[in-house]
Amino acid sequence: MTATSPRTPAPVLVLVPGATGDPSGGGPGYRLADPTVPQLSVTDLVATRGDGVFETIGAFDGSPVNVGPHLARLARSAEMIDLPAPDLALLAEAVDAAIAAHESVAELSVRVMYTRGVEGTGTPTCWIHAKASDDWSPYRAGMKVAVLDRGLATTAAETSPWLLQGAKTLSYAVNMAAVREAKRRGAADVLFVSSDGYALEGPTSTLLVRRGDTFLTTPASAGVLAGTAVATLFAWLREQQGLASGEELMTIEDVKGSDGAWLLSSTRLAAPITHLDEHELPVDAELTARFERVLKGGI
Ligand code: PLP
């Protein structure tokens, strides 16, 4: 039996450094609070089971990028784990409030977390945490990537939907373990490969591959998260540059034989792959800088 759906939406806690927790510091349905003060119950099912979903939105010079697509994906992930639909209008307002309340920084990372809530209550817990982004410049300059087997076939999303491939769940321990394994191998990040031999995605990023003037990514149906950053770049390539883009299943040999590859995400933006294991790939620094401007919301 699954938990019953609540009739009232989860109140949203907006965690911003320096916020006092004063109930007047917020808006209808959300409250600003201090992230350095304990806020989450130890019996929240996200703490005991990793049972929840999330999004990470990038904000550049105070402007968030792709809020609508991120919140729509949050709703899809919530549906995949049978959580009640989140109130997207309230969340969009609370994201803006988080950015407004944070001191002004060039790059802000806004996490939207939505969990199954305290065991036995049936009410989700929801919070938004705004923090200055990590310094991603070393990754944006180019990185070595290790190919690691995810152990699942590209058909897993269809044959075993309970494995939640393509949902952005709060069970990222496996993804983080993969990054540590990459570091042990002298690489900075990971490209997962499926058990049937196809390139998938990174633990926190989408694969982008260049073949001539065509740009390709892994089909979402192969069990990868449908990335917002790759969607932004595809729209720009198509509409502003007149270039082709699309989804294609690619082997690791295809990626190695390509004209360049990147791992994309909303806060790290475009990180070019200099080496896939020991194989060197071409890097176009100018195009990467262009991608970065587009992904920050410019052109
Ligand atoms: N794939 C996975 C597994 C991710 O966790 C992420 C983002 O964190 C992405 C892809 C990239 O998604 P987006 O471009 O929407 O940030």
Side-chain angles (χ1 to χ4, degrees):
M1 222 171 80
T2 54
T4 51
S5 298
R7 293 283 155 257
T8 49
V12 182
L13 210 51
V14 178
L15 303 176
V16 189
T20 59
D22 176 351
S24 62
Y30 66 90
R31 179 167 70 80
L32 299 187
D34 182 351
T36 64
V37 171
Q39 306 283 355
L40 184 71
S41 167
V42 293
T43 59
D44 195 293
L45 285 158
V46 80
T48 54
R49 298 241 159 123
D51 198 353
V53 293
F54 77 111
E55 282 297 320
T56 306
I57 302 171
F60 302 90
D61 294 326
S63 298
V65 173
N66 280 333
V67 175
H70 276 289
L71 295 182
R73 191 171 66 189
L74 183 81
R76 278 201 304 282
S77 297
E79 194 179 3
M80 285 173 78
I81 66 164
D82 303 315
L83 278 181
D87 180 339
L88 301 189
L90 171 61
L91 284 177
E93 210 180 299
V95 165
D96 284 344
I99 296 166
H102 196 283
E103 71 169 307
S104 150
V105 292
E107 298 192 15
L108 196 64
S109 179
V110 185
R111 288 202 177 119
V112 182
M113 323 293 268
Y114 187 59
T115 87
R116 201 166 306 277
V118 172
E119 196 164 355
T121 64
T123 302
T125 304
C126 187
W127 75 94
I128 291 173
H129 180 199
K131 71 175 195 67
S133 293
D134 294 336
D135 176 13
W136 294 120
S137 47
Y139 292 85
R140 292 173 186 163
M143 58 179 187
K144 182 175 175 182
V145 167
V147 176
L148 296 183
D149 187 357
R150 182 175 258 173
L152 295 171
T154 46
T155 49
E158 205 184 306
T159 57
S160 315
W162 49 88
L163 294 179
L164 301 176
Q165 294 303 293
K168 198 164 165 68
T169 75
L170 278 162
S171 316
Y172 261 42
V174 167
N175 302 36
M176 297 302 104
V179 174
R180 289 194 299 277
E181 175 60 22
K183 292 194 170 155
R184 278 192 287 274
R185 296 181 184 203
D189 207 343
V190 175
L191 175 60
F192 282 124
V193 60
S194 65
S195 58
D196 47 347
Y198 294 105
L200 292 171
E201 62 183 345
T204 61
S205 56
T206 304
L207 175 66
L208 176 71
V209 171
R210 177 179 191 174
R211 188 187 295 150
D213 281 340
T214 300
F215 290 82
L216 299 164
T217 194
T218 312
S221 58
V224 300
L225 190 72
T228 61
V230 77
T232 296
L233 277 192
F234 276 9
W236 176 77
L237 287 164
R238 204 175 42 242
E239 290 156 23
Q240 311 286 326
Q241 308 296 308
L243 295 175
S245 59
E247 294 186 335
E248 186 178 305
L249 275 179
M250 293 168 276
T251 63
I252 295 301
E253 287 312 308
D254 290 336
V255 182
K256 285 182 177 168
S258 73
D259 298 310
W262 294 259
L263 290 179
L264 306 177
S265 61
S266 300
T267 54
R268 194 173 64 182
L269 308 177
I273 303 177
T274 61
H275 297 79
L276 201 51
D277 291 332
E278 298 313 318
H279 182 93
E280 194 170 350
L281 280 171
V283 171
D284 184 336
E286 205 177 306
L287 183 61
T288 302
R290 208 69 202 282
F291 284 171
E292 189 176 312
R293 288 199 292 279
V294 172
L295 294 173
K296 281 180 172 173
I299 42 168

